[in-house]
Amino acid sequence: MKKLFLLCCLSALLCACGNSQTSSVPAPRLVGGPCEGCEAIFEFGNTPLHSIDTLPGFEEAGQKIKVSGRVYQQDGKTPAAGVILYVYQTNEAGIYENKYKQTNWESRHGYIRAWLKTGPDGRYAFYTLKPGSYPQRTTPAHIHLTVLEPDGKYYWLESYHFKGDPLLSPAEIAPDAPRGGSTGLLDLQQQDGLWVGSRDIILGKHIPAYR
Ligand SMILES: [Fe+2]
């Protein structure tokens, strides 16, 4: 009887732990309007995420760049930790190359993609090859960006662009209300054999219906 009582207690405890774990995982919630493909931000699965990463293909020939920055809370001052950033881009020919014949979002976004997670200081950085513009050359070269906050909110931000790209529109160069508080226009500077650019992000800034 005593054993049975202990077993019941143990089961109740395990059950309670399980419930608390389940309830601590925030439900994903898309904010800031429609976003086709934003759900790809969840495709990292069980892969451990870091604040610094290198996108696939970096070892190939091309213009090597480093993009870094800091993510802040809504006050624009407090570093935001645990924020996941999903970036994806074309190759140098402007193609979203599904190199490994994947059937998930990689089939649309291509294999040059990565997920980063900000540390306690809110910082992030990634290394990649500068993408090319689409073959039709009507769209400037860009790197897409989606954000996932620790409470489950996720939304798209302005793409990273490159200063001096002749295909940039005035709105891309200087948007009225850039989502995330920055245009994403990178002014690349040469530094230790790399082209380096930076962009800070303010969570929720100019994101409609953000709450
Ligand atoms: Fe694109």
Side-chain angles (χ1 to χ4, degrees), residues 96 134 142 144:
Y96 292 109
Y134 295 159
H142 57 280
H144 289 276

